[in-house]
């Protein structure tokens, strides 16, 4: 790894950051900006994207339990902005580059973020900051499609049309698949139909046999994807029922679990000859500190690590094949973060993609 000299421009001593405490209270405040570590980049953030399930999914429960002396933490893990300074060992990018960055504890909802260099990727000028801020979720979706070995002309059902589910629908179509989206939220169903699915169905009302026969011309589904957290037993059973049936009566196909799901189901004869695959995060490298800060895996053995997946989804955005803009329902300044999060928590039927803007950025302004 190169031992390059740190490169900096004017560096602020503090930043605006969105916090959440153990009681589920959310607010924005001024906080010190930590020094750059080895292999880290300082990003002057223009936009960050909320992941409703991962970041806000447990808020109602925390509010119900309430602690007397709640701790607090900064949160967020996907943003985009301009490279303002480089720590020691950073030679991949130049000051002023437009970068998308990711990573829990790094790519915060903040005006400035220190992000390891291999968790960043360069954006073409045609990709807006609000689109680039979806990089973490988009790479998660791409990794799920890769793990599921989804390919040309396959029939795929995606259960859960939050941000990751929406991006799975689109990425599966890029891979050449025919995609059915499943949810009970009308906004999410409508959005998926506009942005990334061949057909959508209300999961609570769907006639499974009719959907399987009509959508696949009787072949059955090759793959299902569970893209939400919590109890997913019902979704697993529904996806299993959509899969192909062999002449001996066994179900066949794959089910990919990309959400933090819990499932109670019998296997072997109880499930048939299906492959159940877990797709964790964005691909190899994320949470390997040496990789994050600049080390590389041999491409011949690890062809699609996290940074390459980031580069891939940003290229899809630039080519117009991955449509993030249709998924964005709200763009608000960082100081209104609490209000926007509350909308996602209390009225999930009215919001989907929520972006915080900062450092004077407005959609399309630079």
């Amino acid at each position: 790894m190169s031992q390059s000299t740190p490169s900096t421009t004017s560096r602020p001593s503090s930043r605006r950051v969105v916090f959440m405490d153990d009681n589920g209270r959310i607010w924005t405040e001024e906080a010190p900006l930590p020094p750059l570590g080895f292999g880290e980049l300082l990003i002057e953030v223009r936009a960050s994207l909320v992941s409703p399930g991962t970041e806000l999914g447990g808020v109602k429960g925390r509010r119900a339990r309430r602690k007397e002396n709640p701790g607090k933490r900064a949160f967020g893990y996907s943003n985009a902005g301009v490279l303002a300074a480089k720590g020691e060992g950073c030679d991949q990018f130049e000051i002023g580059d437009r970068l998308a960055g990711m990573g829990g504890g790094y790519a915060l909802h903040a005006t400035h973020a220190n992000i390891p260099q291999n968790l960043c990727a360069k954006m073409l000028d045609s990709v807006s900051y609000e689109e680039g801020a979806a990089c973490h979720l988009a790479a998660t979706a791409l990794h799920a499609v890769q793990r599921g070995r989804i390919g040309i002309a396959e029939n795929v059902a995606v259960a859960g049309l939050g941000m990751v589910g929406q991006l799975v629908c689109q990425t599966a179509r890029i891979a050449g698949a025919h995609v059915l989206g499943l949810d009970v939220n009308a906004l999410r169903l409508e959005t998926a139909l506009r942005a990334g699915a061949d057909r959508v169905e209300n999961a609570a009302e769907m006639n499974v046999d009719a959907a399987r026969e009509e959508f696949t011309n009787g072949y059955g589904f090759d793959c299902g994807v569970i893209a939400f957290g919590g109890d997913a037993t019902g979704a697993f059973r529904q996806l299993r029922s959509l899969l192909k049936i062999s002449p001996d009566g066994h179900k066949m196909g794959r089910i990919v679990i990309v959400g933090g799901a819990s499932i109670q189901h019998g296997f072997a004869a109880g499930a048939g000859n299906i492959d159940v695959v877990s797709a964790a995060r964005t691909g190899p490298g994320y949470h390997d500190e040496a990789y994050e800060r600049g080390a590389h895996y041999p491409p011949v053995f690890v062809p699609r690590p996290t940074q390459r997946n980031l580069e891939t989804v940003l290229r899809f955005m630039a080519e117009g094949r991955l449509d993030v803009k249709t998924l964005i329902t709200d763009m608000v300044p960082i100081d209104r973060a609490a209000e926007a999060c509350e909308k996602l928590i209390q009225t999930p039927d009215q919001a989907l993609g929520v972006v915080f803007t900062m450092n004077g950025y407005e959609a399309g302004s630079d």
Side-chain angles (χ1 to χ4, degrees), residues 327-339:
L327 309 182
I328 296 173
T329 57
D330 298 77
M331 290 184 64
V332 301
I334 189 173
D335 286 330
R336 290 176 51 200
E339 172 189 334

Side-chain angles (χ1 to χ4, degrees), residues 24-42:
R25 186 171 71 92
I26 299 168
W27 72 98
T28 306
E29 70 175 46
E30 197 79 10
L33 176 61
L36 277 172
F38 182 89
E40 289 185 343
L41 306 173
L42 173 64

